[in-house]
Every structure is written in C-alpha cells, then in structure tokens.
Amino acid sequence: MADYIEPLQKLAEQFGKLSGIGRKTAMRLAFSVLDMSEEEAAEFASSVIEAKEKIHLCPICQNLTDKEKCDICSDETRDRSVICVVEDAKAVIALENVREYNGLYHVLGGVISPMNGVTPEKLRIKELLTRLEDSEIKEVIIATNPTVEGEATSMYLSRLLKPAGIAVTRLAYGIPVGGDLEYADAVTLYRALEGRRDV
Amino acid sequence: MADYIEPLQKLAEQFGKLSGIGRKTAMRLAFSVLDMSEEEAAEFASSVIEAKEKIHLCPICQNLTDKEKCDICSDETRDRSVICVVEDAKAVIALENVREYNGLYHVLGGVISPMNGVTPEKLRIKELLTRLEDSEIKEVIIATNPTVEGEATSMYLSRLLKPAGIAVTRLAYGIPVGGDLEYADAVTLYRALEGRRDV
C-alpha cells in the first residue's frame, strides 16, 4: 500500500473501518469516490455528517429515530398492548418488512454476553421495565436472534417478566420457508419436530 | 425500504452509488456509520471531501496525484526511455506492486469501445503522442487489460506508434502462475502455447 497517494490512502482507510469492508474493497470504494463529481462527493460527505447528527435513540423504545419520538411509538393506530423485544434496530426493520406485526418494539442494544463483558445492566432492560409499569402491556414477544446469547437473554427476560404477570412469548423455531430438510441442522430439525402443529 | 428513517435511508442511498455496493450492503455500511463516534464520522466525511479536492490528474502521465506532478514522473531515478500504457490508475498500482518495472506510465483513462461511445479521441492518446515527440522514449509497453477492448486499443496504439520508429510491446499472455491447466480457458492455453519459450 506504500505507493498510493496520501488522500486516497486515507480515504481507503476510512472505508476500511466500516463493517465487513476489507483492504481491496476499501480501495475500490475510494476510487469510486474519485469517479464522483465534486457535488456528489459533497452530498455523500454531508449525508454521513447528517445521519450522525440527526439520528438518535427514541426515548421510549430505544430504536433509531430522527424525530423526538420514533414513528412507531408515535403511531396511534398501533397496538399498545404488545411489545416486541429485539437486539438492534436492524431487527426492527426486518420485522417491519413483514408488515404483519402491529405492536410496539423495544430495542435492547445487544444481548447478554458475559464473554464480551455485556451484562444485563449494559442492555436497555431498565427502560423496558419502566415501560412495563405502564399497565397497558399484556404481552412481551422476545425476538432476540436464535444464538446462544440471544437464547440466554430470552431466558433472563422471561424469568424477570413472568412473575409480574405479563405473557412472555418467543418467536417460533423451525425449518425456514423454502429451505431443504436435507440441509437443515439437527438442532433446527429437533426444534421443528418439537414445535409441530396440527394442519 | 419505506419504513427507514430518512437520514439513514439517504446515507444508504449514497453508499449504494459506490461501485459494487448493493442495497443490503449499503444499509449495513450506513449502520456502521451510526456506530462511529461523532469525531470518526466527521473524519470520514472530511476524507471524502479532501480526496476529491486534492486528487487530480498528473499533467504528464495522467495518473492520479495530489502534487503538481505525480511521484513517478518526478522521480529522477526512473528510466525515462520506457512508457507503460495502462487503462487506469488501478493498473499503475498493480504494476508498481510488482516492484520490477522502473519506467514511466501513461494512463489512457479507458479503452476504445465504440459500443459505449468511447472513441480514440476520448482517451488520452493525444497527450501520449505529445510525450513521444520528446525523443528520449525508445519503448512503449502496452498493458491494457486482456479484453476485446483492451486488445483493440493495443492494436490501435501499435499501428499509430510503430511508424514513428518506437518499439511497441505488449504484456505476455499465458497461464497465470499458480493456475491449473485443467481450468484454463482454450484461448489462454492457445496463447500460452503460441508464446512458449525455451527453458
């Protein structure tokens, strides 16, 4: 990398800091900035700044928003008796794309992972408990990822919330739609058998 | 994409304009900007602007540079009797990484491609001819990519330059080092046979 001109090198290093971008891709992206017009590059730079400046966490559900409260929390037509607990804002987007769920969300900002120093206190569980004091909520759907940490977080929350008389549910495990039994792992197949339903 | 918050959506669209970045990757990159600190985001934005502002073409070889003349053109130790003609600045970087070639470069800024409206006049061939009037140059190595257009450009240049008494050479074709004959295509194998050398 020694022979690159310095501003190009610096730009590539900046791209390299983004998630999942390696050295070669970073350089390709830096080159494609050079192919932009001066105005396009300025627009690109300002949208980086703008996104950082305008986007913050919704004080209620901890999801990302550029407004005072997020669109979901301020939407009066949504069902205020259900909260879906997710790890991050990306999960909210994935669930919203289904266009089936009409309740509220709560973004934990991670999962319990003692190995990485993430204890329950570091997640936004306190904020969730505060919301639940508001007696409107009847059900909490736990939609953390199907990983060991996601599962541990789910167990932790369920033990915390059930005594308060709130229904706590978990997303169903099973074979993914369009998948092939041949390639499904044993744990998934076991969960699919266990969770079988009448047809 | 409808439910994303606007500054995030806009940032993802900006990332999506970069070469080889699809919708999903663009959104992942936008999210990783949100994970940056305010300072890191500012540094990222300023390096985009800086790269665009500072980098321009070297007036001699048309390579990218942030100085008046590029480092290669201003390096007095380089062999000024050879010019290697390449398509773009990325090819210069690839060749420089070999640390074997010590001559000069000339960046065409593309290849002849009538289908895409790129005629010889749109490439920096005029600038190359001006450089060749300077009688120091004895050899022109054509290092355009081994594509139909690269080949056509090579033929065009060779017909243009040879009558002026300049040696015109082309990079060797053959099987790539570490490759496998079984997977080499027929044209490459044919070129490898044709270009065989004594051992």
Side-chain angles (χ1 to χ4, degrees), chain B:
Chain B
M1 305 274 277
D3 294 286
Y4 294 162
I5 46 177
E6 197 252 322
L8 185 65
Q9 178 68 38
K10 205 177 134 197
L11 180 59
E13 274 165 23
Q14 291 292 331
F15 275 117
K17 285 183 188 169
L18 300 175
S19 107
I21 299 295
R23 203 173 58 85
K24 284 230 161 183
T25 309
M27 192 41 83
R28 198 189 66 222
L29 296 178
F31 269 110
S32 67
V33 167
L34 294 185
D35 288 339
M36 289 179 175
S37 71
E38 202 101 1
E39 294 75 44
E40 284 171 325
E43 201 188 342
F44 180 38
S46 77
S47 60
V48 168
I49 298 284
E50 197 181 287
K52 263 315 275 187
E53 271 176 3
K54 291 198 181 165
I55 298 174
H56 55 91
L57 299 183
C58 168
I60 301 169
C61 71
Q62 315 292 322
N63 191 7
L64 298 171
T65 183
D66 58 338
K67 311 211 176 71
E68 199 193 332
K69 285 202 293 183
C70 81
D71 286 340
I72 296 170
C73 286
S74 42
D75 184 347
E76 291 297 330
T77 68
R78 295 191 77 117
D79 181 357
R80 300 188 166 265
S81 68
V82 199
I83 288 185
C84 179
V85 177
V86 294
E87 289 181 25
D88 53 30
K90 286 172 221 175
V92 174
I93 293 171
L95 285 161
E96 281 298 286
N97 279 341
V98 182
R99 302 185 188 283
E100 174 62 34
Y101 178 69
N102 195 36
L104 304 176
Y105 290 94
H106 190 84
V107 180
L108 290 177
V111 274
I112 299 171
S113 171
M115 293 271 284
N116 300 313
V118 184
T119 53
E121 295 74 42
K122 296 206 172 152
L123 302 177
R124 301 188 202 106
I125 294 175
K126 203 167 69 246
E127 289 85 347
L128 176 64
L129 297 178
T130 314
R131 288 179 79 182
L132 294 175
E133 281 166 19
D134 174 356
S135 59
E136 263 189 280
I137 286 129
K138 295 193 184 74
E139 184 182 355
V140 169
I141 303 171
I142 302 179
T144 50
N145 284 327
T147 56
V148 174
E149 289 88 0
E151 205 55 15
T153 310
S154 162
M155 294 287 275
Y156 179 89
L157 286 177
S158 120
R159 282 183 197 165
L160 197 69
L161 304 179
K162 270 191 177 152
I166 298 163
V168 182
T169 56
R170 177 90 173 102
L171 287 191
Y173 280 112
I175 44 168
V177 178
D180 190 324
L181 285 193
E182 190 182 340
Y183 299 109
D185 62 295
V187 182
T188 301
L189 272 182
Y190 169 75
R191 295 294 198 117
L193 274 171
E194 195 187 42
R196 68 191 179 278
R197 295 167 64 170
D198 289 329
V199 284

Side-chain angles (χ1 to χ4, degrees), chain A residues 10-23:
Chain A
K10 206 178 132 197
L11 181 59
E13 275 164 22
Q14 292 292 331
F15 275 117
K17 285 182 189 170
L18 300 174
S19 106
I21 299 294
R23 205 173 58 84

Side-chain angles (χ1 to χ4, degrees), chain A residues 67-175:
Chain A
K67 310 211 176 73
E68 199 194 331
K69 283 202 294 184
C70 80
D71 286 341
I72 296 171
C73 286
S74 42
D75 184 347
E76 292 296 331
T77 68
R78 295 191 78 117
D79 181 357
R80 296 183 171 268
S81 69
V82 199
I83 289 186
C84 179
V85 177
V86 294
E87 290 181 24
D88 53 29
K90 286 172 220 172
V92 174
I93 293 171
L95 284 162
E96 281 299 285
N97 280 341
V98 181
R99 299 183 193 285
E100 175 62 32
Y101 178 68
N102 195 38
L104 304 175
Y105 290 94
H106 191 84
V107 180
L108 290 177
V111 273
I112 300 171
S113 172
M115 293 271 283
N116 300 312
V118 184
T119 54
E121 294 73 43
K122 296 207 173 151
L123 302 177
R124 299 188 204 105
I125 293 175
K126 203 168 66 246
E127 288 86 347
L128 176 63
L129 297 178
T130 313
R131 286 179 79 182
L132 293 176
E133 283 166 17
D134 175 356
S135 61
E136 264 189 281
I137 287 131
K138 296 194 185 72
E139 183 182 355
V140 169
I141 303 171
I142 302 179
T144 51
N145 285 326
T147 57
V148 174
E149 289 88 359
E151 203 56 15
T153 310
S154 162
M155 294 287 276
Y156 179 89
L157 286 177
S158 119
R159 281 182 199 168
L160 198 67
L161 304 180
K162 271 192 177 154
I166 298 162
V168 182
T169 56
R170 177 92 172 102
L171 287 190
Y173 280 112
I175 43 168

